Amino acid sequence: MAVHVNEQVGRNDPCSCGSGKKYKRCCLEQRNASYGLWARQRDASDELTREMMRFAARKFGNQIGEAWQDFHATDLPLQFDERSHEGRIFMPYFLFHWDPQRRRSGKGAVTKGGIVARWFTLERAGKLSDMERLFLEQATTQPVTFFEVLWTDGDERIGLRDMLLGTETEVIEHSASRSLRRGDIVYGQVWKLQRLSILGSLAPIGIPPTWKAEVFELRKKLRRKIAKQNRDLDAEDLVRYADRIRLTYLISRDALNRPPRLANTDGDPLVFHTLHFRIESPEAAFKVLAPLALGRSKQDLLAEAEFDETKLTCSR
C-alpha cells in the first residue's frame, strides 16, 4: 500500500514506504522516473492539442460560438470569450466532445468523440503516433465528471475519487496539486496513459465540499435511470449523460461566482435609496438634528458644515 506524506523526506532518510531503504534508493527513483515519463507525455499531449486547435480554427472556427453556447447549455445568444478562464474546460469540450448532431439522450447518444476530433483523426490518418492515438482515445472516451480530492502531496500527485462511480485514481498534476486541498471537488477528466494517469482537462475552480449533496443527488438520479438494467453505473453511462453532469457543474460554478445577496433579518433584499428633503429653515433643522450626533458638539458640526453667501446649506 502506498504511503503519502506531505512533509519533506531527506534523500538519505529512511523511505516512508517502509521498505527499509534510503529514500534516494527507493521511492525517489520511482518518483523521478514517473516525472520524466509524465513530462514527455505532457509535452506530447500539449503539442497534439495545439495542432488540433489550429485544425479547429481552420475547419470549425466559425462554429466556436455555437459550441460555446452548447457548453453553457443555453439557447440564449452567448458570445465566445477567448479570455475567459472557462476556456480551460471549454476547449477540451470543443476539441474532443462537441457534436451539434449528437443525440442528447437514449440509444445512440454516445459517439466516439466530437466532430473536431473525428475530422482531425480522418485528416491525420496514418500519421498519428501510438501515443497520439492513445491521447485521442482517452480524451474522447473517458467521462468528464466530478472527483473528490482524497489527498495531495503538494508537489505533483493527487488522489482522486470519482464521486459518481466510486473508483479511486492517483494522478500526476503539478499545478493543481499545489492549489487543491483534501475534500475539494473538481470537475474534469482523467486520462489513463502508459504507467500513469494525468488530468486531461480540469475546470478552473475547485468546488467546496458543501456541494457534495448536489453531486450525490445527481448520482442517485443517474443510478435510478439504469436500475432496470440490473447493473451498476459505469463510465459509459457518464459519457452518455455528459450534458446532465456538465449542467450540475455550471449550476455550482454560477452559484460560487454570484455576488453575495444582502438581505434584512426577514430575508427581504436590501434596496438602497437616496432621500432628498426640502426644508424651510436649515438653522431650525440643524438645532433639531444636532443632538443625534452623540459625542459631537454643535461647534464641531458647524465646523464641518458648508455655507453659501447667506445661510447654512447642509450639515454633515
PDB file of all heavy atoms in Angstrom, residues 254-277:
ATOM      1  N   ASP A 254     -21.882  28.895 -11.305  1.00  0.00           N
ATOM      2  CA  ASP A 254     -22.598  30.170 -11.293  1.00  0.00           C
ATOM      3  C   ASP A 254     -22.944  30.599  -9.864  1.00  0.00           C
ATOM      4  O   ASP A 254     -22.895  31.782  -9.530  1.00  0.00           O
ATOM      5  CB  ASP A 254     -23.872  30.068 -12.135  1.00  0.00           C
ATOM      6  CG  ASP A 254     -23.573  29.923 -13.624  1.00  0.00           C
ATOM      7  OD1 ASP A 254     -22.414  30.165 -14.022  1.00  0.00           O
ATOM      8  OD2 ASP A 254     -24.483  29.538 -14.377  1.00  0.00           O
ATOM      9  N   ALA A 255     -23.286  29.631  -9.035  1.00  0.00           N
ATOM     10  CA  ALA A 255     -23.619  29.953  -7.646  1.00  0.00           C
ATOM     11  C   ALA A 255     -22.388  30.467  -6.898  1.00  0.00           C
ATOM     12  O   ALA A 255     -22.471  31.403  -6.095  1.00  0.00           O
ATOM     13  CB  ALA A 255     -24.186  28.732  -6.942  1.00  0.00           C
ATOM     14  N   LEU A 256     -21.226  29.872  -7.166  1.00  0.00           N
ATOM     15  CA  LEU A 256     -19.998  30.284  -6.492  1.00  0.00           C
ATOM     16  C   LEU A 256     -19.519  31.647  -6.973  1.00  0.00           C
ATOM     17  O   LEU A 256     -18.868  32.386  -6.224  1.00  0.00           O
ATOM     18  CB  LEU A 256     -18.906  29.240  -6.712  1.00  0.00           C
ATOM     19  CG  LEU A 256     -19.134  27.884  -6.035  1.00  0.00           C
ATOM     20  CD1 LEU A 256     -18.109  26.877  -6.509  1.00  0.00           C
ATOM     21  CD2 LEU A 256     -19.079  28.019  -4.528  1.00  0.00           C
ATOM     22  N   ASN A 257     -19.820  31.981  -8.237  1.00  0.00           N
ATOM     23  CA  ASN A 257     -19.394  33.265  -8.792  1.00  0.00           C
ATOM     24  C   ASN A 257     -20.386  34.386  -8.551  1.00  0.00           C
ATOM     25  O   ASN A 257     -20.082  35.545  -8.832  1.00  0.00           O
ATOM     26  CB  ASN A 257     -19.155  33.129 -10.305  1.00  0.00           C
ATOM     27  CG  ASN A 257     -17.919  32.303 -10.609  1.00  0.00           C
ATOM     28  OD1 ASN A 257     -16.987  32.258  -9.812  1.00  0.00           O
ATOM     29  ND2 ASN A 257     -17.908  31.643 -11.762  1.00  0.00           N
ATOM     30  N   ARG A 258     -21.571  34.046  -8.063  1.00  0.00           N
ATOM     31  CA  ARG A 258     -22.596  35.051  -7.855  1.00  0.00           C
ATOM     32  C   ARG A 258     -22.226  35.928  -6.659  1.00  0.00           C
ATOM     33  O   ARG A 258     -21.819  35.417  -5.609  1.00  0.00           O
ATOM     34  CB  ARG A 258     -23.945  34.378  -7.615  1.00  0.00           C
ATOM     35  CG  ARG A 258     -25.139  35.331  -7.599  1.00  0.00           C
ATOM     36  CD  ARG A 258     -26.423  34.548  -7.424  1.00  0.00           C
ATOM     37  NE  ARG A 258     -26.619  33.596  -8.501  1.00  0.00           N
ATOM     38  CZ  ARG A 258     -26.821  32.296  -8.320  1.00  0.00           C
ATOM     39  NH1 ARG A 258     -26.848  31.785  -7.105  1.00  0.00           N
ATOM     40  NH2 ARG A 258     -26.997  31.494  -9.351  1.00  0.00           N
ATOM     41  N   PRO A 259     -22.339  37.255  -6.769  1.00  0.00           N
ATOM     42  CA  PRO A 259     -22.003  38.121  -5.639  1.00  0.00           C
ATOM     43  C   PRO A 259     -22.953  37.884  -4.474  1.00  0.00           C
ATOM     44  O   PRO A 259     -24.085  37.419  -4.660  1.00  0.00           O
ATOM     45  CB  PRO A 259     -22.178  39.541  -6.224  1.00  0.00           C
ATOM     46  CG  PRO A 259     -23.085  39.375  -7.401  1.00  0.00           C
ATOM     47  CD  PRO A 259     -22.781  38.019  -7.964  1.00  0.00           C
ATOM     48  N   PRO A 260     -22.518  38.163  -3.250  1.00  0.00           N
ATOM     49  CA  PRO A 260     -23.374  37.923  -2.082  1.00  0.00           C
ATOM     50  C   PRO A 260     -24.655  38.749  -2.149  1.00  0.00           C
ATOM     51  O   PRO A 260     -24.662  39.878  -2.645  1.00  0.00           O
ATOM     52  CB  PRO A 260     -22.494  38.346  -0.895  1.00  0.00           C
ATOM     53  CG  PRO A 260     -21.468  39.253  -1.495  1.00  0.00           C
ATOM     54  CD  PRO A 260     -21.223  38.745  -2.871  1.00  0.00           C
ATOM     55  N   ARG A 261     -25.738  38.181  -1.648  1.00  0.00           N
ATOM     56  CA  ARG A 261     -27.040  38.844  -1.658  1.00  0.00           C
ATOM     57  C   ARG A 261     -27.285  39.448  -0.283  1.00  0.00           C
ATOM     58  O   ARG A 261     -27.284  38.741   0.731  1.00  0.00           O
ATOM     59  CB  ARG A 261     -28.131  37.831  -1.999  1.00  0.00           C
ATOM     60  CG  ARG A 261     -29.556  38.381  -1.947  1.00  0.00           C
ATOM     61  CD  ARG A 261     -30.537  37.286  -2.347  1.00  0.00           C
ATOM     62  NE  ARG A 261     -31.922  37.732  -2.233  1.00  0.00           N
ATOM     63  CZ  ARG A 261     -32.653  37.606  -1.139  1.00  0.00           C
ATOM     64  NH1 ARG A 261     -32.113  37.061  -0.044  1.00  0.00           N
ATOM     65  NH2 ARG A 261     -33.905  38.017  -1.118  1.00  0.00           N
ATOM     66  N   LEU A 262     -27.492  40.751  -0.251  1.00  0.00           N
ATOM     67  CA  LEU A 262     -27.760  41.443   1.010  1.00  0.00           C
ATOM     68  C   LEU A 262     -29.250  41.403   1.314  1.00  0.00           C
ATOM     69  O   LEU A 262     -30.078  41.682   0.446  1.00  0.00           O
ATOM     70  CB  LEU A 262     -27.278  42.891   0.930  1.00  0.00           C
ATOM     71  CG  LEU A 262     -25.777  43.090   0.683  1.00  0.00           C
ATOM     72  CD1 LEU A 262     -25.460  44.567   0.565  1.00  0.00           C
ATOM     73  CD2 LEU A 262     -24.959  42.448   1.795  1.00  0.00           C
ATOM     74  N   ALA A 263     -29.585  41.063   2.544  1.00  0.00           N
ATOM     75  CA  ALA A 263     -30.998  40.963   2.922  1.00  0.00           C
ATOM     76  C   ALA A 263     -31.144  41.375   4.376  1.00  0.00           C
ATOM     77  O   ALA A 263     -30.176  41.374   5.154  1.00  0.00           O
ATOM     78  CB  ALA A 263     -31.519  39.543   2.708  1.00  0.00           C
ATOM     79  N   ASN A 264     -32.391  41.712   4.737  1.00  0.00           N
ATOM     80  CA  ASN A 264     -32.657  42.027   6.142  1.00  0.00           C
ATOM     81  C   ASN A 264     -32.933  40.743   6.911  1.00  0.00           C
ATOM     82  O   ASN A 264     -32.834  39.640   6.365  1.00  0.00           O
ATOM     83  CB  ASN A 264     -33.817  43.017   6.267  1.00  0.00           C
ATOM     84  CG  ASN A 264     -35.121  42.456   5.673  1.00  0.00           C
ATOM     85  OD1 ASN A 264     -35.286  41.247   5.538  1.00  0.00           O
ATOM     86  ND2 ASN A 264     -36.041  43.348   5.341  1.00  0.00           N
ATOM     87  N   THR A 265     -33.281  40.856   8.176  1.00  0.00           N
ATOM     88  CA  THR A 265     -33.481  39.663   9.005  1.00  0.00           C
ATOM     89  C   THR A 265     -34.682  38.832   8.563  1.00  0.00           C
ATOM     90  O   THR A 265     -34.797  37.666   8.936  1.00  0.00           O
ATOM     91  CB  THR A 265     -33.663  40.077  10.478  1.00  0.00           C
ATOM     92  OG1 THR A 265     -34.725  41.040  10.570  1.00  0.00           O
ATOM     93  CG2 THR A 265     -32.384  40.689  11.023  1.00  0.00           C
ATOM     94  N   ASP A 266     -35.571  39.409   7.761  1.00  0.00           N
ATOM     95  CA  ASP A 266     -36.724  38.666   7.236  1.00  0.00           C
ATOM     96  C   ASP A 266     -36.422  38.003   5.903  1.00  0.00           C
ATOM     97  O   ASP A 266     -37.290  37.334   5.339  1.00  0.00           O
ATOM     98  CB  ASP A 266     -37.930  39.607   7.076  1.00  0.00           C
ATOM     99  CG  ASP A 266     -38.433  40.136   8.406  1.00  0.00           C
ATOM    100  OD1 ASP A 266     -38.342  39.374   9.402  1.00  0.00           O
ATOM    101  OD2 ASP A 266     -38.899  41.286   8.461  1.00  0.00           O
ATOM    102  N   GLY A 267     -35.207  38.201   5.415  1.00  0.00           N
ATOM    103  CA  GLY A 267     -34.849  37.610   4.136  1.00  0.00           C
ATOM    104  C   GLY A 267     -35.192  38.465   2.934  1.00  0.00           C
ATOM    105  O   GLY A 267     -34.959  38.065   1.792  1.00  0.00           O
ATOM    106  N   ASP A 268     -35.748  39.647   3.157  1.00  0.00           N
ATOM    107  CA  ASP A 268     -36.079  40.544   2.058  1.00  0.00           C
ATOM    108  C   ASP A 268     -34.817  41.241   1.569  1.00  0.00           C
ATOM    109  O   ASP A 268     -33.968  41.639   2.372  1.00  0.00           O
ATOM    110  CB  ASP A 268     -37.098  41.593   2.505  1.00  0.00           C
ATOM    111  CG  ASP A 268     -38.396  40.973   2.989  1.00  0.00           C
ATOM    112  OD1 ASP A 268     -38.810  39.975   2.373  1.00  0.00           O
ATOM    113  OD2 ASP A 268     -38.967  41.463   3.978  1.00  0.00           O
ATOM    114  N   PRO A 269     -34.651  41.394   0.255  1.00  0.00           N
ATOM    115  CA  PRO A 269     -33.449  42.034  -0.263  1.00  0.00           C
ATOM    116  C   PRO A 269     -33.346  43.489   0.168  1.00  0.00           C
ATOM    117  O   PRO A 269     -34.354  44.200   0.263  1.00  0.00           O
ATOM    118  CB  PRO A 269     -33.611  41.914  -1.785  1.00  0.00           C
ATOM    119  CG  PRO A 269     -35.076  41.741  -2.012  1.00  0.00           C
ATOM    120  CD  PRO A 269     -35.582  40.985  -0.827  1.00  0.00           C
ATOM    121  N   LEU A 270     -32.126  43.903   0.455  1.00  0.00           N
ATOM    122  CA  LEU A 270     -31.893  45.296   0.806  1.00  0.00           C
ATOM    123  C   LEU A 270     -31.828  46.141  -0.456  1.00  0.00           C
ATOM    124  O   LEU A 270     -31.126  45.804  -1.405  1.00  0.00           O
ATOM    125  CB  LEU A 270     -30.578  45.436   1.582  1.00  0.00           C
ATOM    126  CG  LEU A 270     -30.534  44.813   2.982  1.00  0.00           C
ATOM    127  CD1 LEU A 270     -29.174  45.055   3.615  1.00  0.00           C
ATOM    128  CD2 LEU A 270     -31.630  45.386   3.877  1.00  0.00           C
ATOM    129  N   VAL A 271     -32.583  47.219  -0.457  1.00  0.00           N
ATOM    130  CA  VAL A 271     -32.599  48.138  -1.589  1.00  0.00           C
ATOM    131  C   VAL A 271     -32.157  49.500  -1.081  1.00  0.00           C
ATOM    132  O   VAL A 271     -32.753  50.052  -0.150  1.00  0.00           O
ATOM    133  CB  VAL A 271     -34.008  48.235  -2.221  1.00  0.00           C
ATOM    134  CG1 VAL A 271     -33.980  49.203  -3.409  1.00  0.00           C
ATOM    135  CG2 VAL A 271     -34.494  46.862  -2.662  1.00  0.00           C
ATOM    136  N   PHE A 272     -31.106  50.035  -1.680  1.00  0.00           N
ATOM    137  CA  PHE A 272     -30.568  51.313  -1.224  1.00  0.00           C
ATOM    138  C   PHE A 272     -31.269  52.467  -1.938  1.00  0.00           C
ATOM    139  O   PHE A 272     -31.535  52.410  -3.142  1.00  0.00           O
ATOM    140  CB  PHE A 272     -29.068  51.376  -1.492  1.00  0.00           C
ATOM    141  CG  PHE A 272     -28.286  50.379  -0.681  1.00  0.00           C
ATOM    142  CD1 PHE A 272     -27.941  49.145  -1.212  1.00  0.00           C
ATOM    143  CD2 PHE A 272     -27.914  50.673   0.629  1.00  0.00           C
ATOM    144  CE1 PHE A 272     -27.238  48.224  -0.466  1.00  0.00           C
ATOM    145  CE2 PHE A 272     -27.208  49.755   1.383  1.00  0.00           C
ATOM    146  CZ  PHE A 272     -26.864  48.522   0.841  1.00  0.00           C
ATOM    147  N   HIS A 273     -31.565  53.517  -1.173  1.00  0.00           N
ATOM    148  CA  HIS A 273     -32.242  54.700  -1.698  1.00  0.00           C
ATOM    149  C   HIS A 273     -31.477  55.949  -1.280  1.00  0.00           C
ATOM    150  O   HIS A 273     -30.807  55.976  -0.245  1.00  0.00           O
ATOM    151  CB  HIS A 273     -33.677  54.807  -1.165  1.00  0.00           C
ATOM    152  CG  HIS A 273     -34.545  53.638  -1.506  1.00  0.00           C
ATOM    153  ND1 HIS A 273     -35.228  53.529  -2.693  1.00  0.00           N
ATOM    154  CD2 HIS A 273     -34.832  52.507  -0.803  1.00  0.00           C
ATOM    155  CE1 HIS A 273     -35.896  52.396  -2.708  1.00  0.00           C
ATOM    156  NE2 HIS A 273     -35.679  51.760  -1.566  1.00  0.00           N
ATOM    157  N   THR A 274     -31.590  56.961  -2.080  1.00  0.00           N
ATOM    158  CA  THR A 274     -31.097  58.292  -1.719  1.00  0.00           C
ATOM    159  C   THR A 274     -32.311  59.190  -1.491  1.00  0.00           C
ATOM    160  O   THR A 274     -33.156  59.326  -2.383  1.00  0.00           O
ATOM    161  CB  THR A 274     -30.214  58.883  -2.826  1.00  0.00           C
ATOM    162  OG1 THR A 274     -29.091  58.025  -3.031  1.00  0.00           O
ATOM    163  CG2 THR A 274     -29.718  60.276  -2.438  1.00  0.00           C
ATOM    164  N   LEU A 275     -32.412  59.736  -0.305  1.00  0.00           N
ATOM    165  CA  LEU A 275     -33.560  60.567   0.056  1.00  0.00           C
ATOM    166  C   LEU A 275     -33.163  62.041   0.039  1.00  0.00           C
ATOM    167  O   LEU A 275     -32.101  62.407   0.563  1.00  0.00           O
ATOM    168  CB  LEU A 275     -34.089  60.185   1.442  1.00  0.00           C
ATOM    169  CG  LEU A 275     -34.562  58.736   1.611  1.00  0.00           C
ATOM    170  CD1 LEU A 275     -35.020  58.503   3.046  1.00  0.00           C
ATOM    171  CD2 LEU A 275     -35.692  58.422   0.637  1.00  0.00           C
ATOM    172  N   HIS A 276     -34.010  62.862  -0.528  1.00  0.00           N
ATOM    173  CA  HIS A 276     -33.786  64.305  -0.565  1.00  0.00           C
ATOM    174  C   HIS A 276     -34.939  64.988   0.184  1.00  0.00           C
ATOM    175  O   HIS A 276     -36.116  64.654  -0.028  1.00  0.00           O
ATOM    176  CB  HIS A 276     -33.742  64.813  -2.008  1.00  0.00           C
ATOM    177  CG  HIS A 276     -32.644  64.195  -2.821  1.00  0.00           C
ATOM    178  ND1 HIS A 276     -31.378  64.730  -2.882  1.00  0.00           N
ATOM    179  CD2 HIS A 276     -32.633  63.080  -3.591  1.00  0.00           C
ATOM    180  CE1 HIS A 276     -30.625  63.973  -3.661  1.00  0.00           C
ATOM    181  NE2 HIS A 276     -31.373  62.959  -4.113  1.00  0.00           N
ATOM    182  N   PHE A 277     -34.590  65.938   1.056  1.00  0.00           N
ATOM    183  CA  PHE A 277     -35.596  66.636   1.845  1.00  0.00           C
ATOM    184  C   PHE A 277     -35.565  68.135   1.511  1.00  0.00           C
ATOM    185  O   PHE A 277     -34.486  68.725   1.375  1.00  0.00           O
ATOM    186  CB  PHE A 277     -35.339  66.450   3.346  1.00  0.00           C
ATOM    187  CG  PHE A 277     -35.446  65.027   3.807  1.00  0.00           C
ATOM    188  CD1 PHE A 277     -34.333  64.202   3.843  1.00  0.00           C
ATOM    189  CD2 PHE A 277     -36.664  64.502   4.202  1.00  0.00           C
ATOM    190  CE1 PHE A 277     -34.423  62.888   4.261  1.00  0.00           C
ATOM    191  CE2 PHE A 277     -36.777  63.192   4.626  1.00  0.00           C
ATOM    192  CZ  PHE A 277     -35.652  62.381   4.652  1.00  0.00           C
TER     193      PHE A 277
END
